Amino acid sequence: MENLLSAASHETLPDSFVFPAEQRPPPSSAAVALPVIDLSAPRDEVRRAVLEAGKELGFFQVVNHGVPEQAVRDMEACCEEFFRLPAEDKAAFYSEDTDKPNRLFTSTTYGTGGERYWRDCLRLACGFPVAADAKNAWPDKPDGLREAMERFIAPTRALGMELLRLLCEGVGLRPDYFEGDLSAGDVVVNVNHYPPCPDPARTLGLPPHCDRNLITLLLQGSVAGLQVSYRGDWIRVQPVPGAFVVNFGHQLEIATNGLLKSVEHRAAANAAVPRTSVATFIMPTDDCLVAPAAELAAGGGGAGYRAVTFREFMRVYKTVGARRESVEKAFKI
Ligand code: OGA
Ligand code: NI
């Protein structure tokens, strides 16, 4: 618990958070903006925009996405409030046991060289639809957090499934390709909290990583910090109020035989204000065998990835680390 960043204020950056110069955030970065896609536009247009951005960047933002504004606002407010709770209220939830589905921890589980990241994380998980016992395993403070989570998860998951349908239509898979085991695993919500950092130029909130799931829907909040890898540079993603940032996990890359890529991203720390982001991950079931879709492997020169159960993927991912290159080495043919 003494590790929790949000339990104290910080005047200097402890050595364990200082990274080698080449890993630090850059002084400037690419002038490329992430596309903002209006999901209320005609479906043909949306399908094209989603596919184009997905292929070029692996990342885009969506507005008019159908998740009620109130559900987003309540979720963000409860999450921010959680991290403002006195340390003793958070202590019960703190755990370094990575097998625990619901827990509070600091830094990251990505296999790293022992360096620490300027981030606290409240991880919440549930099946879908949300069962009562899943809900009871979430923190009971602040008031309203459990209800906000429950009201947020259903429409956010539905948005993810709708984006998957659009992508399927775009790449030539049947629209319900990702219904079933490929998306029926836990819904995991990572509430990332980056407290003000005394020396943000020498550290990072999250290391460069690709997400391990199928598709990710991220609420950035109003403070910038997310950076997306693009042609050797890092795009700083400008927050758009109420928008979700969408990106693809490794499972979507494998299933689409690399047509849609899981792109590296990271989070910078900042000195001025705390930043809280809410990442929702849709995942396959543990036993689901994830493999390139036959329709997509047939067109190009065969399957580019080996078939792997999601459980086995996660086991290997834990040992090789989060960098794209090492995951590719393990699963690309
Ligand atoms: C994540 C992530 C980025 C952010 O939780 O996987 O990439 O801006 N978060 O917090
Ligand atoms: Ni991520």
Side-chain angles (χ1 to χ4, degrees):
M1 184 64 189
E2 63 273 15
N3 282 335
L4 200 66
L5 289 168
S6 56
S9 67
H10 307 272
E11 269 155 31
T12 55
L13 185 70
D15 285 346
S16 55
F17 290 91
V18 177
F19 296 128
E22 70 279 7
Q23 288 179 28
R24 295 176 195 165
S28 69
S29 60
V32 178
L34 219 55
V36 179
I37 302 174
D38 180 350
L39 295 189
S40 67
R43 194 177 170 87
D44 276 3
E45 238 170 74
V46 173
R47 186 195 301 119
R48 231 182 350 251
V50 162
L51 188 66
E52 200 174 294
K55 278 183 160 174
E56 173 67 11
L57 294 146
F59 264 86
F60 50 86
Q61 306 205 55
V62 294
V63 292
N64 292 323
H65 41 61
V67 181
E69 251 173 63
Q70 193 67 45
V72 168
R73 263 203 305 268
D74 289 351
M75 183 66 187
E76 288 182 326
C78 285
C79 291
E80 283 166 18
E81 208 179 325
F82 176 86
F83 281 101
R84 280 196 301 266
L85 289 173
E88 58 270 24
D89 284 341
K90 291 180 280 200
F93 224 71
Y94 186 85
S95 171
E96 292 178 6
D97 176 358
T98 57
D99 289 333
K100 269 187 90 171
N102 297 284
R103 68 189 184 105
L104 172 65
F105 58 98
T106 289
S107 192
T108 159
T109 51
Y110 295 124
T112 60
E115 68 275 35
R116 302 187 60 215
Y117 294 89
W118 198 260
R119 170 229 198 194
D120 291 337
C121 180
L122 173 65
R123 184 195 198 269
L124 304 172
C126 59
F128 190 80
V130 181
D133 57 337
K135 187 171 146 181
N136 292 338
W138 300 334
D140 56 4
K141 282 186 190 171
D143 276 352
L145 173 67
R146 290 178 178 177
E147 291 69 26
M149 218 351 231
E150 196 174 11
R151 278 200 301 271
F152 174 76
I153 286 229
T156 301
R157 187 180 185 281
L159 168 62
M161 296 312 293
E162 171 62 5
L163 290 166
L164 289 168
R165 273 192 295 277
L166 285 159
L167 290 163
C168 280
E169 293 169 19
V171 301
L173 291 173
R174 52 168 216 279
D176 65 351
Y177 190 84
F178 292 104
E179 306 282 335
D181 286 354
L182 279 165
S183 60
D186 272 359
V187 181
V188 172
V189 173
N190 271 0
V191 182
N192 303 299
H193 181 77
Y194 309 92
C197 176
D199 196 354
R202 295 203 298 154
T203 191
L204 277 172
L206 269 179
H209 68 279
C210 296
D211 294 346
R212 38 201 130 172
N213 52 301
L214 189 61
I215 192 166
T216 304
L217 304 124
L218 177 84
L219 290 174
Q220 263 227 91
S222 54
V223 182
L226 174 65
Q227 302 182 354
V228 173
S229 170
Y230 182 70
R231 301 192 175 173
D233 206 342
W234 295 94
I235 299 172
R236 298 178 186 213
V237 183
Q238 288 310 313
V240 173
F244 280 88
V245 177
V246 179
N247 66 287
F248 311 145
H250 283 295
Q251 309 314 309
L252 192 57
E253 173 166 340
I254 295 173
T256 61
N257 203 28
L259 220 51
L260 303 173
K261 292 222 161 40
S262 183
V263 167
E264 275 190 346
H265 51 287
R266 64 185 190 177
N270 81 82
V273 281
R275 170 171 185 259
T276 305
S277 70
V278 180
T280 303
F281 304 103
I282 298 179
M283 340 230 258
T285 58
D286 285 345
D287 292 324
C288 179
L289 187 68
V290 185
E295 303 89 310
L296 301 181
Y305 303 78
R306 57 190 182 86
V308 61
T309 61
F310 186 51
R311 179 185 287 105
E312 173 64 4
F313 179 93
M314 292 299 271
R315 194 189 63 74
V316 174
Y317 185 97
K318 271 189 189 160
T319 65
V320 300
R323 291 307 300 254
R324 186 179 158 82
E325 203 185 353
S326 42
V327 177
E328 268 188 346
K329 235 183 245 160
F331 296 104
K332 261 192 139 164
I333 294 174

